[in-house]
């Protein structure tokens, strides 16, 4: 552990409350939170009730409901809310700060907000898919192939109603969400070892076997700038805070990252087109993206701005839609420090104290 933190600069750990091969029992989650507090690293949590999901999957299979859409049905919003509330109880018991990743549920957002107002060190991340996509996207109603919905299979899944999306937008605006992420997981759609692995060994494409994850790193900032800032869902200040400043603080990279301070920061800067001056493609097309995935879940989404210039350490690496090849390689590995945000409160729920404090 010492080598990972001090030498490699790895100062965060992710824990899972779902997925059969990754799911941790409450006992083990408490052990993980205990160790995170002791070492000062940031604990991250994927909060969904894995046992409830497993039961729902079996029940849907019994009814022959195995199309991609039923992935969303098997993971209702309430199940994410339950797991989030339980994880907050574990966090408070251990006095260990906790960052919830890729939050999609209004119920989860509500309990996170409640914990924050009580002064607990609870932080949260959400992603564009939870303010723009809906579970009906998994049905692919306008396509002949129902398996096309596999392109939208991620966990937690997109939620069904406009009210669900609005709850997440409100959480970004009011500060419930500390950071914006993409949960970028670029699993190829047309590969036998990608999404279509669900057809191997006679599985017939059942949602249970579809690898979870969508690409999103290339579209995250443009989507949130357009649908958030330009459409008055969030302020430009909140955009910068959740995309730049807070991530650097949460993950122990501030002020080298997340700020523009002479002599202290790396001069990583994104410059946008002035409003109304963007003259690039007006819709998102996977063919225009620079990731290696063969699709984007945001294909044909309207877009009214895009980064015009991207600087890394003060050098232009992206200019008006093109990568500047001669500038490639200017980046470098950053050894992270411990978070300046995720620090304990030194408040306990009983007389018990960790042995390392005695």
């Amino acid at each position: 552990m010492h080598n990972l933190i001090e030498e490699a600069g790895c100062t965060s750990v992710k824990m899972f409350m779902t997925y059969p091969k990754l799911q941790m029992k409450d006992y083990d989650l408490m052990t993980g939170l205990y160790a995170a507090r002791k070492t000062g690293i940031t604990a991250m949590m994927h909060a969904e009730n894995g046992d409830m999901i497993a039961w729902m999957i079996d029940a849907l299979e019994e009814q022959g409901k195995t199309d991609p859409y039923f992935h969303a049905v098997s993971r209702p919003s309430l199940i994410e809310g339950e797991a989030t509330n339980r994880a907050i109880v574990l966090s408070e018991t251990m006095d260990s700060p906790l960052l919830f990743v890729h939050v999609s549920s209004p119920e989860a957002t509500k309990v996170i907000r409640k914990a924050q107002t009580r002064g607990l060190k609870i932080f949260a991340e959400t992603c564009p898919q939870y303010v723009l996509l809906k579970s009906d996207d998994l049905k692919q109603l306008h396509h002949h192939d129902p398996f096309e919905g596999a392109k939208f299979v991620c966990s937690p899944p997109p939620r069904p109603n406009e009210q669900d999306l609005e709850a997440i937008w409100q959480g970004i605006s009011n500060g419930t969400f500390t950071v914006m992420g993409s949960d970028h997981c670029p699993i190829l759609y047309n590969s036998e070892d990608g999404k279509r692995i669900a057809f191997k060994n006679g599985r017939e494409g059942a949602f249970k076997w579809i690898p979870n994850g969508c690409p999103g790193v290339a579209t995250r900032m443009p989507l949130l700038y357009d649908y958030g800032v330009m459409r008055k869902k969030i302020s430009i200040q909140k955009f910068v805070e959740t995309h730049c400043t807070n991530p650097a603080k949460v993950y122990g990279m501030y002020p080298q990252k997340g700020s523009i301070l002479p002599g202290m920061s790396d001069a990583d800067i994104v410059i946008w087109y002035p409003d109304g001056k963007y003259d690039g493609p007006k819709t998102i097309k996977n063919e225009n993206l620079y990731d290696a995935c063969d699709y984007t879940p945001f294909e044909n989404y309207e877009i009214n701005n895009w980064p015009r210039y991207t600087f890394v350490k003060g050098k232009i690496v992206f200019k008006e839609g093109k990568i500047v090849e001669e500038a490639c390689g200017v980046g470098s590995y950053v050894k992270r420090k411990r978070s300046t945000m995720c620090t304990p409160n030194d408040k306990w729920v009983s007389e018990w104290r960790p042995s390392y404090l005695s």
Side-chain angles (χ1 to χ4, degrees):
M1 179 69 78
H2 175 80
N3 288 343
L4 280 173
I5 298 172
E6 305 300 340
E7 296 180 20
C10 297
T11 57
S12 60
V13 63
K14 185 177 180 181
M15 297 180 282
F16 293 83
M17 301 175 77
T18 188
Y19 299 133
K21 294 182 179 180
L22 298 173
Q23 182 179 344
M24 299 171 69
K25 299 185 297 183
D26 289 355
Y27 185 100
D28 297 323
L29 291 171
M30 290 184 74
T31 301
L33 290 167
Y34 178 97
R37 188 191 190 281
K38 181 180 179 180
T39 57
I41 65 175
T42 298
M44 306 156 62
M45 190 73 73
H46 178 135
E48 291 181 286
N49 187 313
D51 291 337
M52 295 177 74
I53 290 169
W55 193 96
M56 292 289 288
I57 290 172
D58 290 345
L60 287 164
E61 284 186 330
E62 287 178 7
Q63 297 174 8
K65 297 178 178 178
T66 60
D67 284 350
Y69 170 71
F70 293 101
H71 168 77
V73 176
S74 73
R75 310 175 94 95
S77 182
L78 190 66
I79 284 179
E80 184 186 346
E82 184 280 329
T84 302
N85 185 72
R86 179 158 44 94
I88 290 171
V89 172
L90 298 174
S91 169
E92 185 174 10
T93 302
M94 290 290 101
D95 186 38
S96 177
L98 188 57
L99 169 64
F100 288 99
V101 293
H102 35 70
V103 175
S104 74
S105 153
E107 290 89 346
T109 305
K110 185 181 295 184
V111 297
I112 289 168
R113 183 70 171 175
K114 184 177 180 180
Q116 291 169 341
T117 59
R118 291 200 294 120
L120 300 182
K121 295 293 182 67
I122 299 296
F123 307 94
E125 170 216 82
T126 193
C127 313
Q129 52 266 40
Y130 303 127
V131 291
L132 295 174
L133 301 180
K134 292 183 181 178
S135 56
D136 270 359
D137 287 314
L138 280 75
K139 291 182 179 178
Q140 286 296 283
L141 298 175
H142 303 296
H143 294 262
H144 298 296
D145 179 9
F147 192 70
E148 284 273 334
K151 293 179 177 180
F152 302 86
V153 168
C154 58
S155 293
R159 297 305 177 188
N161 302 313
E162 195 65 37
Q163 304 94 285
D164 301 322
L165 277 58
E166 285 301 318
I168 304 301
W169 276 122
Q170 183 180 31
I172 301 171
S173 180
N174 67 20
T176 302
F177 291 106
T178 320
V179 299
M180 292 300 304
S182 66
D183 199 22
H184 180 68
C185 189
I187 298 168
L188 295 175
Y189 177 70
N190 289 308
S191 168
E192 290 185 2
D193 295 318
K195 295 284 187 179
R196 292 188 177 276
I197 202 171
F199 288 99
K200 281 192 172 181
N201 303 318
R203 291 169 175 169
E204 299 182 346
F207 76 84
K208 176 180 179 179
W209 305 108
I210 299 172
N212 280 224
C214 303
V217 69
T219 51
R220 173 179 59 95
M221 291 187 75
L223 285 169
L224 268 295
Y225 190 90
D226 186 320
Y227 290 84
V229 177
M230 297 182 72
R231 306 187 192 210
K232 309 301 183 183
K233 293 281 190 180
I234 59 173
S235 67
I236 184 65
Q237 291 82 5
K238 184 61 66 176
F239 179 86
V240 173
E241 177 186 322
T242 54
H243 283 80
C244 307
T245 311
N246 282 352
K249 291 180 177 179
V250 165
Y251 290 109
M253 294 183 284
Y254 188 86
Q256 182 178 352
K257 305 295 183 181
S259 65
I260 307 174
L261 298 174
M264 302 180 70
S265 305
D266 278 347
D268 297 340
I269 303 169
V270 174
I271 296 178
W272 300 81
Y273 288 85
D275 288 348
K277 299 296 184 180
Y278 172 63
D279 57 0
K282 299 302 182 183
T283 57
I284 290 176
K285 300 287 185 183
N286 189 65
E287 64 192 38
N288 296 329
L289 302 179
Y290 283 95
D291 61 33
C293 201
D294 57 358
Y295 78 96
T296 170
F298 303 104
E299 187 80 18
N300 294 322
Y301 266 65
E302 179 185 343
I303 203 78
N304 294 296
N305 212 326
W306 199 268
R308 187 173 188 176
Y309 304 105
T310 301
F311 292 78
V312 174
K313 295 184 177 179
K315 295 183 178 180
I316 297 179
V317 297
F318 182 84
K319 179 180 179 181
E320 297 180 333
K322 302 292 182 182
I323 289 177
V324 179
E325 297 291 345
E326 57 268 28
C328 289
V330 300
S332 58
Y333 180 74
V334 176
K335 291 184 179 181
R336 295 185 285 127
K337 301 179 177 63
R338 290 171 175 81
S339 174
T340 56
M341 293 181 76
C342 301
T343 55
N345 279 336
D346 291 317
K347 294 182 179 179
W348 303 92
V349 299
S350 72
E351 294 180 9
W352 174 83
R353 299 290 185 276
S355 58
Y356 63 81
L357 292 181
S358 59

